[in-house]
Every structure is written in structure tokens, then in C-alpha cells.
Amino acid sequence: AAARASMKPNPVHRLPAPLESAVQRLKLAAREAAERTIESLGLAALASTNAFHRDGLLGAQFELNRKSAVFVLTFNDAFDELLLREVGPAAAADPAPAAAAVPTSWDALSLVENSEVEAQISADRFGMEIAHGCEGELRELHAYVGSLLADVGGASERNPLRPDLIGHAMMRGIGAVSDRPEIRKVLVAEMSRSLSNLLPAAYAAVVVDLRQAGVLGVTALQTIGDALDTTSSRTPPSRWRCPAKH
């Protein structure tokens, strides 16, 4: 019983069913990005005329190929955790791991802070690049996701599927592949390129899925609400009027 109580529920199960499918699409895109990155690193190494650069590409390819499953699992877990923070109740966030990870020395603290800042900057940059490349898809997606979250009492103004959260999950996955800064740098650059090519189509497919599932975007819901308000404010026909009292 104690072991069962200590297990955390999958945060994706807290989402409406159409969003669960959307999350799975994005996870599959991340898996495909890892596969493409392994291939592209090999091609880039073959084309490189600089031995040092070629060794760096091959080293990154070796690590990612060896730990591709680790990348995918870490990405999925990180994405689920970020989703839970975005749409789950505040009490569901478990601060224990973060507290336990606090270093005891100022030097270690500085290293952790620098690493986190770099990851934050990389994730935000990735998010801006993706947002610029698929602005239309993200605008539509935001409208659909907003209506779904509003239906379950979530924060409709925040899109838990936005690119910067995917960027953060990507950085966590890359961190699980290697702790060597030079390897991480190569993987971040190449993985960002692969995901940038895949996410616009993935977002467009999510929008189509949500539309086919009968989800109405925030704009459509607002239009319907306005129409209902306008109709209810009109004087009803004579047959709907209450009889006058004499």
C-alpha cells in the first residue's frame, strides 16, 4: 500500500482526451527528431573537412545512438512533468527533488545555476525559433487548447504544448545523454534543427485532430456565446411572452 501511495499518476492522464493524443504526437515528433539527428550527424561528419569538428560530430552521434532510448524516456518524463506544472493543481508539484538537489558549496551552486541558465536560454531560443516558423499553427492550436483547458477549469491563456516547454524537455533529454559540454552543444544544435523541421507539421496535425474531435476554439466559443447573449436580449415573440396580469 505504501509503495502504491508513493507512485505518481501519469500527469498526461489529467488532461482531456484530445490533449492526450496531442501530447503523444509531440512525443513521437521528438523520437523522430532523435533518429534524424543520429543520421544527420553522420552525414555532417562525412562532409566535414576539419578533423576536430568531425570527431566532435561523430562523438555526439555515438552518444545519442547509444542512448537514444534514454533521450526519449527522459524527454517524455520531462514533458509530462512540465505539463503537470502547467495544467495540474499546484499541490501536485513535488518540490522534494529540487530541494534534494541543492548543492552545499558555493562553487557547486554556481555551476548548477550556470547550467540551468544556459538550458533556460537554449529552450527559450528554441521556442522563439519554432514560434516564428509556425505562427499560424500555434495561433490555431492556442485557441483549441484554451477552450479545452477552460472546460476542465485550467488556465486557458497558457498553452501547455508551446514550443519552449518542448525545448526544456529536449534539454533534459540531451542532458541525460551526455554530461560533456562539447557533446551537449553539438546535440542541442542538431536536435533543434531536426525538431524545427518536424514540429510545424506536428502542430498542424494536432489542430486537425482537435477539429475532427469536435473541439471548438476559444474564438468560436466566444462567437457562439455572443450570439446566444444577443438572442436572449431580444424581445421574445408574442407566443413566448408571459400573459399580462389584469
Side-chain angles (χ1 to χ4, degrees), residues 67-86:
K67 296 184 178 179
S68 58
V70 174
F71 170 83
V72 171
L73 289 173
T74 306
F75 177 94
N76 290 350
D77 288 345
F79 196 27
D80 285 345
E81 178 185 329
L82 292 166
L83 286 169
L84 179 58
R85 291 182 184 178
E86 289 290 313

Side-chain angles (χ1 to χ4, degrees), residues 18 140-141 144 204-217:
E140 279 195 273
L141 180 64
Y144 285 107
V206 168
V207 170
V208 171
D209 290 345
L210 293 176
R211 190 181 295 128
Q212 291 178 345
V215 179
L216 291 176

